[in-house]
Structures are given as structure tokens and as C-alpha cells.
Amino acid sequence: MCLWVTWVGFASAQSAPLEPDGSTPATALPRPGLGMVWDKPEDPIRAAADLRAMADLSVRAIRSSVWEDRRLFDLADTLGILVFQELSVRYPTSRTLADTLGYVLRQVDRVREGGRVYALGLAYAPDTSNPETCRLLGEMTAAAAGSLKTYIVSEFDVDESCPSSVDLVLLRAIRQGAHAGEMGFAVDSEPDLPDFEGAEQAEYYANQLPARLSVGAWTFLYRWADAPEPSAFAARPGGGRWGLHRSDGSSRPSLGVVEGAARRSQRAFARPVPSAPRAPANGYVLAGWAMLLALLLVYARSPRFRSMSGRYFAAHGIYRTAVADNRDHLIFSNVTVLLCVSMLFGMVGEQALRSYADHPAYSALWNWSGEGVRGALNTLMGSPVRFSLLIGLLALLGMLLWMIAWYLLAARSRGGTFSQVMTLSIWPRWPVLATLPVVMLVAAGSWGDAAARYSVVWVLATGVWSTIRTNLDASHVLRMQPLAVVLLWLSAPFVSILLAALLLAGRHGDKLVYLQQLAR
């Protein structure tokens, strides 16, 4: 998936004409144009070289983290590049923003007194759906005393982005109802492109950039160079190779396209020869056929398995009687079904989570995580096999712990065996196997993200139903006392998940509400 980022901002002031020599009059407000997201290098020589190269590219503004370097400020001023600096307050809720109010106000005072920064980003994607957030942003803007412009980056529409609380709003996505001269735009996630390393990136800039630069908007391209590890500014989930320059300093084909569009010296661009399309990933397809073959072999080679299948689906009362009599020991068959169901859990979960990789809600969760968690998420998202295996192993471990727990707490006292517990726990999970063809079709590219997400809904719904079926069958087969039935219910995995969700809601309710807003 691609995740190059364009930031577009419309200033509320009218653009002033340039002087005959091309310079901006001293009394004129800056005219919006091309901007660049920039990680300031530690080496001052490299940083100065970047600024000069950006000026040659007709870049009029940079967005970066907060830094102090008088020589760089002087150089940027000489080159006619405005400096937008952004505080590291990302996806804050109103509670988080209130907690950081003192820090933000100190930064506002410091930057305002320096007089070198054109605009200060107060927060990246704050929860502007909450009126308290708007009030806090207004207080921060008032502290700038009109000598420093303030802005935010927003996930929401113009009228939901606290437009009266800051001087400029950059929207991460182009929305309906926003017009030039009214607010700012920021497009953060474009339609999926299979290769943003070369041809497709240049193709996209060639098709989109000239029109975007012609409407009088700040257009901040993401980014000047690939983000270092760790990135000091504007890091994105998954890392990414979205810069006009690679980490070794070499340029990508899109640099020439940006140069021509920025200077308005080109309207048509030579299209690079695209690379050959890659075949869709078929690992899940092969795994699906392997699971299907394993189940068919078990069915063909085990008369007891075939007999139990008929009883379970066609005569459930006889199935209960057979389990109660403990006549059929299906250890190998049960283990095979358990492994297939766990593997399918992992594949369904990985596909569904990956479908949200470019979603704002995932970006918020990623930014709320610690550095170690971010690195792990980037690694897992970059390795579908590892990610699905991890989810599958967690599902397998959860099932095993549940079976052991309710065997020890409820079944053993009634004379039940672990073989009975396995049968009663695993057989009601058959509906999960209905997602197998969906997983294979999604992996082959025939179905999209919606199918992967609906598969998760099906797995969760059938998981609750299967747990209920297990409890009813166990109560009948083992004739458990009421206390044992209660313990069986409490040991069910979905009960633990529900309790964990309630705990999270109590501790991070404001973040959950914000995630709901982002998921709209």
C-alpha cells in the first residue's frame, strides 16, 4: 500500500502579486505554494544543502519539528522559504491536550519571541469533535498574540475542525464543502498504488500536482527524503519510502516531475516505463487448500470422525449421548480441527487488520503506542505470514487455556475426561471454517477489504454462539451443578475479552470515543 502524504493549505488572505523581479513585496502576505515535509538533518551542512535544493525546486515553505538554528533560519529567510514548525502532540484527545497545555503555551511563547517561525502547529489530528478541544486551541492561539500564526492538522471536515480557534487548518483528506480561500487542505492517504518507489509515484505527481498547485493552496509534499529511523518528525505507520530522495541521497523519478510542476514549466510529463505487475500473494490460497485437504483426509481416514460429524449436524441429541458415553476418542481429529481453526483465526485477523493499515484510527493507535510497539507493528504489518502466525498462536493458546481451565474447574469433578472437553469445545467452532473461501478470495485479489472485515464479524458472532453451544452441551453431557456451570461461563474467552474491553473503556474512554469518531 502507498502512503505518500500531501499537505494542502489554503490561506484565508488573498494572494498578493509578485514584484517584477519575482520577489514578494514586504507588505504582502505570503502567497501559498509548494511546501515540503522535512526532517532536519543533524549535520548543518546537509541541512543547508537541503534548503538550497528545495529553493531551486521552488519550494516556498517547509514543515518540520521544532528546532533552533539561527543560521538555518537566516538561510531560509534569504531563500524565501517560510518555516512551519509543528509540536509533537499527535492525535490528542481533549484530556491529553489539557494535560499538555502548559507545555504548548511555553513553546508558543518561545517560538513567538524568536520571531523566525511563520506558523506553529499546535497539534496533529486533535479530537476537534469535542468542544473542549476547540476552547483549548483558542487559548493557545490567543497566547500567540497575533505575532505568530497557528495551525492544526485535522481528520474532520472544515466546520468540525475548530476553524475559529486557529489561523489555519490543514485537512488530512479533501472533503466536500471546503473551498480555496476558506480553510486548508491536507491529503494524507491517496488511493492504493502498488509501487510508490518509482513509476507509479512519478505518474501520480504528474497527474495530480499541477492542478493542486494552480488553486492557490499550500501543498506540502510528504516528504523531501525518506524518514530516518527513528524519525524526528512526521513518522508514519510502516515507515515508508515516500521521499523525493532515498535515504542514501539519490533522487527518485518523481523529483523531476515535481520540479516541472512547481516551476510550471511543464504540463505534460514523460511517463517512466512501469515495472511488470506482481502476481497476487498466494500464500493464503495455498494454506487454505492445505487446510481443506487436511480436513478431507481426516474425514476419509477416520470412521469415528465421519460418524461424529453426522451426529453433530443431523442428530445433535445422539451427538451429546455419544460424548457422554465417551465411546469415540477423537484426539487426532480434534487436534487437526483445532489447528485449522486457529490458523484461520490468524489469517482472518491479519487480513482485517491490514485492511485498516491506512485508516486514521490505526494511525491514531500507532501514534499512541510506545516506540517499541511501533517497531513491532511495523514489522508485523510488513510480514503477513508472521502476523497471521502470531494471531493464530494466540488463538490456539487461548483455546488450550480455556479447555484446561474448564476441565479443572468444572469437568473433572463430574468425572469428565479431557477428550470430552476437547470435543465439546472444538466441534461448535465449525462455523469459523465458512470464512476459509473468503480468506482465499481476498488473498487472490478477487474480493476486497470489506470481505475481510465482515469475516471478522462472522468469527466474533460465531465465537459467541459456539461458546453458548459448548456450555449447553457440557451442562447436558456432564450434568454439572450450577456453580460448575457458572465457572464454565466465566472461563470462556469472550468473557475475558469483554472484561478487558470494559477496563480499557474505564481507563481510556476519551480515546475510544475519538476512535469512534475517526471510524465514521
PDB file of all heavy atoms in Angstrom, residues 111-125:
ATOM      1  N   VAL A 111       8.644  30.319  20.703  1.00  0.00           N
ATOM      2  CA  VAL A 111       8.692  30.486  19.249  1.00  0.00           C
ATOM      3  C   VAL A 111       8.291  31.900  18.858  1.00  0.00           C
ATOM      4  O   VAL A 111       8.879  32.514  17.962  1.00  0.00           O
ATOM      5  CB  VAL A 111       7.788  29.443  18.572  1.00  0.00           C
ATOM      6  CG1 VAL A 111       7.700  29.705  17.078  1.00  0.00           C
ATOM      7  CG2 VAL A 111       8.316  28.033  18.816  1.00  0.00           C
ATOM      8  N   ARG A 112       7.280  32.447  19.566  1.00  0.00           N
ATOM      9  CA  ARG A 112       6.832  33.810  19.247  1.00  0.00           C
ATOM     10  C   ARG A 112       7.935  34.825  19.518  1.00  0.00           C
ATOM     11  O   ARG A 112       8.141  35.755  18.726  1.00  0.00           O
ATOM     12  CB  ARG A 112       5.588  34.136  20.079  1.00  0.00           C
ATOM     13  CG  ARG A 112       5.055  35.554  19.888  1.00  0.00           C
ATOM     14  CD  ARG A 112       3.724  35.712  20.598  1.00  0.00           C
ATOM     15  NE  ARG A 112       3.846  35.391  22.008  1.00  0.00           N
ATOM     16  CZ  ARG A 112       4.263  36.254  22.964  1.00  0.00           C
ATOM     17  NH1 ARG A 112       4.614  37.469  22.609  1.00  0.00           N
ATOM     18  NH2 ARG A 112       4.319  35.882  24.220  1.00  0.00           N
ATOM     19  N   GLU A 113       8.642  34.661  20.622  1.00  0.00           N
ATOM     20  CA  GLU A 113       9.714  35.591  20.952  1.00  0.00           C
ATOM     21  C   GLU A 113      10.873  35.479  19.980  1.00  0.00           C
ATOM     22  O   GLU A 113      11.574  36.456  19.720  1.00  0.00           O
ATOM     23  CB  GLU A 113      10.196  35.333  22.375  1.00  0.00           C
ATOM     24  CG  GLU A 113       9.162  35.701  23.434  1.00  0.00           C
ATOM     25  CD  GLU A 113       9.595  35.269  24.819  1.00  0.00           C
ATOM     26  OE1 GLU A 113      10.693  34.666  24.939  1.00  0.00           O
ATOM     27  OE2 GLU A 113       8.839  35.523  25.781  1.00  0.00           O
ATOM     28  N   GLY A 114      11.097  34.274  19.425  1.00  0.00           N
ATOM     29  CA  GLY A 114      12.164  34.112  18.449  1.00  0.00           C
ATOM     30  C   GLY A 114      11.890  34.878  17.168  1.00  0.00           C
ATOM     31  O   GLY A 114      12.806  35.387  16.527  1.00  0.00           O
ATOM     32  N   GLY A 115      10.631  34.940  16.768  1.00  0.00           N
ATOM     33  CA  GLY A 115      10.238  35.723  15.602  1.00  0.00           C
ATOM     34  C   GLY A 115      10.683  35.147  14.272  1.00  0.00           C
ATOM     35  O   GLY A 115      10.632  35.859  13.261  1.00  0.00           O
ATOM     36  N   ARG A 116      11.117  33.902  14.232  1.00  0.00           N
ATOM     37  CA  ARG A 116      11.621  33.330  12.974  1.00  0.00           C
ATOM     38  C   ARG A 116      10.651  32.331  12.351  1.00  0.00           C
ATOM     39  O   ARG A 116      10.802  32.007  11.173  1.00  0.00           O
ATOM     40  CB  ARG A 116      12.946  32.615  13.231  1.00  0.00           C
ATOM     41  CG  ARG A 116      14.076  33.524  13.723  1.00  0.00           C
ATOM     42  CD  ARG A 116      14.362  34.639  12.736  1.00  0.00           C
ATOM     43  NE  ARG A 116      15.561  35.373  13.057  1.00  0.00           N
ATOM     44  CZ  ARG A 116      16.757  35.144  12.518  1.00  0.00           C
ATOM     45  NH1 ARG A 116      16.899  34.177  11.636  1.00  0.00           N
ATOM     46  NH2 ARG A 116      17.798  35.882  12.847  1.00  0.00           N
ATOM     47  N   VAL A 117       9.721  31.833  13.121  1.00  0.00           N
ATOM     48  CA  VAL A 117       8.791  30.810  12.637  1.00  0.00           C
ATOM     49  C   VAL A 117       7.523  31.484  12.123  1.00  0.00           C
ATOM     50  O   VAL A 117       6.938  32.324  12.817  1.00  0.00           O
ATOM     51  CB  VAL A 117       8.455  29.806  13.754  1.00  0.00           C
ATOM     52  CG1 VAL A 117       7.428  28.797  13.278  1.00  0.00           C
ATOM     53  CG2 VAL A 117       9.720  29.088  14.212  1.00  0.00           C
ATOM     54  N   TYR A 118       7.098  31.109  10.919  1.00  0.00           N
ATOM     55  CA  TYR A 118       5.900  31.714  10.341  1.00  0.00           C
ATOM     56  C   TYR A 118       4.632  31.173  10.987  1.00  0.00           C
ATOM     57  O   TYR A 118       3.711  31.932  11.305  1.00  0.00           O
ATOM     58  CB  TYR A 118       5.870  31.457   8.836  1.00  0.00           C
ATOM     59  CG  TYR A 118       4.594  31.926   8.178  1.00  0.00           C
ATOM     60  CD1 TYR A 118       4.320  33.277   8.001  1.00  0.00           C
ATOM     61  CD2 TYR A 118       3.638  30.999   7.736  1.00  0.00           C
ATOM     62  CE1 TYR A 118       3.149  33.712   7.407  1.00  0.00           C
ATOM     63  CE2 TYR A 118       2.464  31.421   7.149  1.00  0.00           C
ATOM     64  CZ  TYR A 118       2.225  32.778   6.986  1.00  0.00           C
ATOM     65  OH  TYR A 118       1.054  33.202   6.411  1.00  0.00           O
ATOM     66  N   ALA A 119       4.557  29.856  11.175  1.00  0.00           N
ATOM     67  CA  ALA A 119       3.354  29.236  11.748  1.00  0.00           C
ATOM     68  C   ALA A 119       3.769  28.072  12.629  1.00  0.00           C
ATOM     69  O   ALA A 119       4.718  27.346  12.320  1.00  0.00           O
ATOM     70  CB  ALA A 119       2.399  28.772  10.646  1.00  0.00           C
ATOM     71  N   LEU A 120       3.047  27.913  13.731  1.00  0.00           N
ATOM     72  CA  LEU A 120       3.324  26.840  14.676  1.00  0.00           C
ATOM     73  C   LEU A 120       2.156  25.866  14.693  1.00  0.00           C
ATOM     74  O   LEU A 120       1.007  26.264  14.924  1.00  0.00           O
ATOM     75  CB  LEU A 120       3.550  27.402  16.076  1.00  0.00           C
ATOM     76  CG  LEU A 120       3.886  26.379  17.158  1.00  0.00           C
ATOM     77  CD1 LEU A 120       5.241  25.741  16.893  1.00  0.00           C
ATOM     78  CD2 LEU A 120       3.861  27.017  18.547  1.00  0.00           C
ATOM     79  N   GLY A 121       2.454  24.596  14.449  1.00  0.00           N
ATOM     80  CA  GLY A 121       1.431  23.557  14.515  1.00  0.00           C
ATOM     81  C   GLY A 121       1.182  23.161  15.955  1.00  0.00           C
ATOM     82  O   GLY A 121       2.058  22.609  16.618  1.00  0.00           O
ATOM     83  N   LEU A 122      -0.010  23.434  16.460  1.00  0.00           N
ATOM     84  CA  LEU A 122      -0.328  23.171  17.860  1.00  0.00           C
ATOM     85  C   LEU A 122      -0.554  21.690  18.123  1.00  0.00           C
ATOM     86  O   LEU A 122      -0.249  21.199  19.217  1.00  0.00           O
ATOM     87  CB  LEU A 122      -1.560  23.968  18.279  1.00  0.00           C
ATOM     88  CG  LEU A 122      -1.470  25.489  18.109  1.00  0.00           C
ATOM     89  CD1 LEU A 122      -2.795  26.138  18.483  1.00  0.00           C
ATOM     90  CD2 LEU A 122      -0.334  26.050  18.953  1.00  0.00           C
ATOM     91  N   ALA A 123      -1.110  20.996  17.154  1.00  0.00           N
ATOM     92  CA  ALA A 123      -1.396  19.571  17.347  1.00  0.00           C
ATOM     93  C   ALA A 123      -1.642  18.935  15.992  1.00  0.00           C
ATOM     94  O   ALA A 123      -2.109  19.583  15.056  1.00  0.00           O
ATOM     95  CB  ALA A 123      -2.602  19.366  18.253  1.00  0.00           C
ATOM     96  N   TYR A 124      -1.318  17.660  15.918  1.00  0.00           N
ATOM     97  CA  TYR A 124      -1.570  16.880  14.717  1.00  0.00           C
ATOM     98  C   TYR A 124      -2.793  16.018  14.964  1.00  0.00           C
ATOM     99  O   TYR A 124      -2.804  15.156  15.844  1.00  0.00           O
ATOM    100  CB  TYR A 124      -0.353  16.009  14.409  1.00  0.00           C
ATOM    101  CG  TYR A 124      -0.469  15.156  13.171  1.00  0.00           C
ATOM    102  CD1 TYR A 124       0.108  15.556  11.978  1.00  0.00           C
ATOM    103  CD2 TYR A 124      -1.134  13.935  13.204  1.00  0.00           C
ATOM    104  CE1 TYR A 124       0.022  14.768  10.838  1.00  0.00           C
ATOM    105  CE2 TYR A 124      -1.237  13.146  12.072  1.00  0.00           C
ATOM    106  CZ  TYR A 124      -0.652  13.570  10.898  1.00  0.00           C
ATOM    107  OH  TYR A 124      -0.757  12.786   9.784  1.00  0.00           O
ATOM    108  N   ALA A 125      -3.857  16.259  14.205  1.00  0.00           N
ATOM    109  CA  ALA A 125      -5.091  15.473  14.265  1.00  0.00           C
ATOM    110  C   ALA A 125      -5.684  15.424  15.666  1.00  0.00           C
ATOM    111  O   ALA A 125      -5.924  14.346  16.208  1.00  0.00           O
ATOM    112  CB  ALA A 125      -4.860  14.060  13.729  1.00  0.00           C
TER     113      ALA A 125
END
